Amino acid sequence: MLTVKHALEHVSLQQENLQLRNRGVITDIPFGKSQGMQQLHERMVRIASHNTPVLITGEAGEEKEIYARYLHKLGNRAARPFLSTTISALSPADALITLYGAEEKAGIIRKGLMEQAEGGTLFLQDIADMDLTLQARLQNTIESGYFSRMGSTDILPAEVRFIAATGQNLPDLVHQGKFRSDLYYQLNVLTLTIPALRERPEDVPELLEYFVNYFVENQGLPERHFTSAARNYLGNYEWPGNLRELKNLVQRLLILGVTPEIDTEDLAQALGRQSHPTHTPEFNANFDLPLRQAREQFEKAYLQYKMEKARGSVSKLAADIGMERTHLYRKLKGLGIDIKGD
């Protein structure tokens, strides 16, 4: 019976994920091969089945709800609801009713997200924008495990796991008196920090492929392929908008594209910038490395910059730096630089 129950829960979860994907909600995403994201995934697996609140931090645009949903799916609450709200989109009064619900004199009950998510997960986006009154109420709820609807004296169990997210520096806000220290310490027991996309360029190719497939399958957009030059270009891009910028860029390129391939000219137009670098990128040398590793570090940065200027063409790159193509191919491959195509 237990096996049947688990099977039914799994089917239910798959159906729920399909419905969410059809509504444009991304329920999973590749973590990539970067060390930072692999460590993040391992940490999520370790903490998934605990009921302790989780704080997700990282820069704006990291699409933190994706990771909150994934954490929910990994844990023992996966078959129960996952509900979310963005605090910054609500007035303080609306936020109270949204979270806690309300009970009117006529006996009409409006259930809040805390009650609707019973047994599951409640995700609070932009937690730093919560006003101090609501912060105090939430702190009491987490500490006691109980809550009351607005306008009611009934005590109800808060049978949810809280996941909060912010792109702001909460310790600074605590120091400024804008965020309660007791709430911060309760939320900060388990923290997940999403690395900025510019810090993990090796993950970009897999993310590009993922979002192309996502928009083709879920929005019926025409499939297009990134050329080697385009992938190299985006591997060196700074991504100020992080994952959200990458997702929106792929969607825009699929909608506006008229050819099967996406090249650097398409990217330059979509990003509103020149298709090749106009300045030498910063290179932060690590003088503590052995000579061989330091040389490889410089060579990789140098060749990536030159490759971008050559728009991904190995022939142009070879001519530019004065190296025979066969030797250059071996060098690029040894340094892990994408050389598919020319």
Side-chain angles (χ1 to χ4, degrees), residues 74-226:
L74 284 176
N76 53 16
R77 296 175 177 265
R80 303 299 299 163
F82 176 98
L83 299 180
S84 67
T85 188
T86 301
I87 301 298
S88 59
L90 302 170
S91 69
D94 288 342
L96 275 169
I97 296 176
T98 298
L99 294 180
Y100 288 92
E103 189 169 329
E104 300 176 8
K105 291 182 179 180
I108 299 173
I109 293 174
R110 294 176 56 187
K111 291 184 178 182
L113 295 180
M114 210 169 294
E115 203 168 347
Q116 296 175 44
E118 181 180 359
T121 299
L122 180 55
F123 176 60
L124 305 175
Q125 179 71 282
D126 295 343
I127 191 74
D129 293 312
M130 184 176 284
D131 81 299
L132 291 172
T133 301
L134 183 53
Q135 288 179 33
R137 194 179 186 100
L138 180 62
Q139 188 277 329
N140 180 263
T141 298
I142 296 174
E143 184 175 41
S144 68
Y146 293 91
F147 74 99
S148 296
R149 303 185 194 101
M150 302 300 296
S152 172
T153 57
D154 293 339
I155 306 298
L156 304 172
E159 294 289 347
V160 296
R161 184 185 197 174
F162 294 96
I163 300 179
T166 183
Q168 300 188 52
N169 188 315
L170 287 186
D172 283 353
L173 296 180
V174 170
H175 181 71
Q176 297 167 16
K178 297 179 180 178
F179 199 86
R180 291 178 62 98
S181 60
D182 50 4
L183 178 57
Y184 170 67
Y185 293 129
Q186 282 186 322
L187 294 175
N188 197 44
V189 177
L190 296 176
T191 304
L192 298 173
T193 301
I194 314 300
L197 189 54
R198 66 178 176 278
E199 298 172 357
R200 46 190 180 100
E202 61 268 45
D203 294 338
V204 170
E206 188 176 0
L207 289 169
L208 292 173
E209 182 179 358
Y210 171 84
F211 281 115
V212 168
N213 293 333
Y214 175 84
F215 287 119
V216 169
E217 293 174 7
N218 293 277
Q219 295 188 8
L221 296 181
E223 186 171 4
R224 303 184 73 199
H225 301 280
F226 288 86

Side-chain angles (χ1 to χ4, degrees), residues 231-250:
R231 289 193 299 272
N232 284 320
Y233 183 101
L234 293 177
N236 291 292
Y237 182 59
E238 285 294 307
W239 298 110
N242 287 296
L243 187 63
R244 186 179 302 139
E245 182 181 11
L246 185 148
K247 180 186 72 173
N248 293 344
L249 174 65
V250 171

Side-chain angles (χ1 to χ4, degrees), residues 17-85:
N17 284 342
L18 180 60
Q19 291 171 356
L20 288 169
R21 288 173 71 90
N22 288 338
R23 294 207 310 265
V25 177
I26 298 173
T27 58
D28 54 15
I29 197 166
F31 278 77
K33 57 187 177 182
S34 64
Q35 183 179 3
M37 292 303 290
Q38 287 298 310
Q39 290 175 345
L40 175 68
H41 183 260
E42 291 171 5
R43 185 173 176 83
M44 292 179 76
V45 171
R46 287 198 302 271
I47 70 176
S49 293
H50 294 277
N51 292 322
T52 307
V54 176
L55 179 63
I56 301 179
T57 64
E59 294 182 1
E62 284 295 356
E63 300 284 29
K64 301 175 186 69
E65 183 171 342
I66 294 175
Y67 300 98
R69 287 185 179 276
Y70 186 73
L71 186 64
H72 169 77
K73 189 168 66 172
L74 284 176
N76 53 16
R77 296 175 177 265
R80 303 299 299 163
F82 176 98
L83 299 180
S84 67
T85 188

